[in-house]
Amino acid sequence: MARCKKCGKSGIFLSVNKDGLCKNCSSQEERSKTIKEELYKKSPSFRKATDDLAEQDRLLKILIEAREQYSSDGDCEKAIAAYEKVLLHSAVPINSNSHTSFLVDLYIKAGQNDKAWGFLNSLIGTDRLPIEKIRGYQAKILSKENKHRDALEMFMLEYLAKAEWSKTFNNEAFLKAIKPSIKKLKLDDAFANELSSLIQHHVDAGNYDERSLVTEYRNMLI
């Protein structure tokens, strides 16, 4: 018994076309197609939006294929080249947190920390990656480079941003995140708790200004 893929109607006497649509749904599809074709011809804004969507689909396909290839061969350089072509040099923007994060991960894995840092800075103020993720990545890079004083600063900014989003400061997670840097700097738990209290004070006051927190942190180091 035939069943229409769109409306779900079925019956002994119902017929569907090669696309699995009944007569009524097929007519609706044709009318919609005709309207879109006319809009594409006559409306520059509709034409641009349609072309941009098609280009985004093409670019996303390149990213997906590059990611699958990387899973197979582990070639960072090849994956980076493909991702840079799409995310850094294409005319049509791709706002995907997942793909944006993946390029940062590739940079870090390949030891290209300067590229990762520059890319992360370019994302600040955009919707391509949340600020807490940007600061978290920067803290990770600084830790890998044994710049632990600066890493602590970035961890603080990361958890301040997380608190702004959730309206709750996760003290336990913060202390766990900074523990390696605290140990490398030969600082004690009391200092770590001071940093935690400083963030908590900002959250309680509803003050999520990064510059204010950075200034207070740096004053603690003098």
Side-chain angles (χ1 to χ4, degrees), residues 153 157 202 209-219:
E153 182 174 298
L157 296 183
H202 275 252
D209 178 55
E210 287 192 341
R211 290 170 298 180
S212 175
L213 184 61
V214 166
T215 298
E216 292 184 49
Y217 166 67
R218 292 180 181 178
N219 286 339

Side-chain angles (χ1 to χ4, degrees), residues 26-213:
S26 177
S27 297
Q28 290 179 0
E29 287 288 312
E30 285 298 320
R31 285 195 296 271
S32 177
K33 182 179 178 182
T34 300
I35 292 170
K36 288 179 180 178
E37 288 174 348
E38 286 300 311
L39 280 171
Y40 189 85
K41 290 177 183 177
K42 297 178 180 179
S43 171
S45 60
F46 182 83
R47 183 164 57 249
K48 183 179 185 308
T50 302
D51 289 344
D52 284 353
L53 283 173
E55 178 64 1
Q56 284 178 346
D57 287 343
R58 186 186 74 84
L59 294 172
L60 283 170
K61 185 178 179 182
I62 292 173
L63 294 179
I64 292 169
E65 289 176 350
R67 199 162 181 166
E68 289 175 348
Q69 184 63 38
Y70 174 74
S71 296
S72 175
D73 61 23
D75 190 332
C76 272
E77 296 296 335
K78 186 163 62 175
I80 286 172
Y83 263 71
E84 286 182 336
K85 183 177 181 181
V86 172
L87 296 183
L88 303 185
H89 305 304
S90 61
V92 177
I94 300 295
N95 293 326
S96 165
N97 287 353
S98 172
H99 288 302
T100 301
S101 293
F102 190 65
L103 178 55
V104 179
D105 288 331
L106 287 171
Y107 280 144
I108 293 174
K109 185 164 186 177
Q112 298 180 19
N113 290 344
D114 288 345
K115 274 192 172 185
W117 193 272
F119 182 49
L120 288 165
N121 278 336
S122 75
L123 300 173
I124 296 173
T126 74
D127 59 357
R128 297 175 67 187
L129 204 63
I131 188 63
E132 62 267 22
K133 290 207 71 172
I134 294 173
R135 295 311 188 198
Y137 271 124
Q138 290 178 324
K140 181 178 180 180
I141 291 169
L142 291 166
S143 295
K144 285 173 69 70
E145 294 179 345
N146 290 316
K147 298 174 181 177
H148 293 288
R149 286 178 179 266
D150 294 331
L152 286 176
E153 182 174 298
M154 286 301 165
F155 278 123
M156 293 178 73
L157 296 183
E158 175 191 3
Y159 279 84
L160 182 70
K162 285 181 175 179
E164 182 176 17
W165 178 79
S166 66
K167 303 307 177 188
T168 303
F169 170 52
N170 192 331
N171 173 66
E172 185 178 345
F174 171 70
L175 291 175
K176 182 178 180 180
I178 67 172
K179 189 173 183 178
S181 290
I182 290 291
K183 186 175 181 180
K184 288 286 186 179
L185 292 169
K186 298 182 179 179
L187 298 170
D188 56 22
D189 291 344
F191 186 83
N193 288 326
E194 282 187 57
L195 298 183
S196 178
S197 296
L198 185 55
I199 299 173
Q200 186 67 64
H201 174 72
H202 275 252
V203 174
D204 290 342
N207 179 8
Y208 298 100
D209 178 55
E210 287 192 341
R211 290 170 298 180
S212 175
L213 184 61

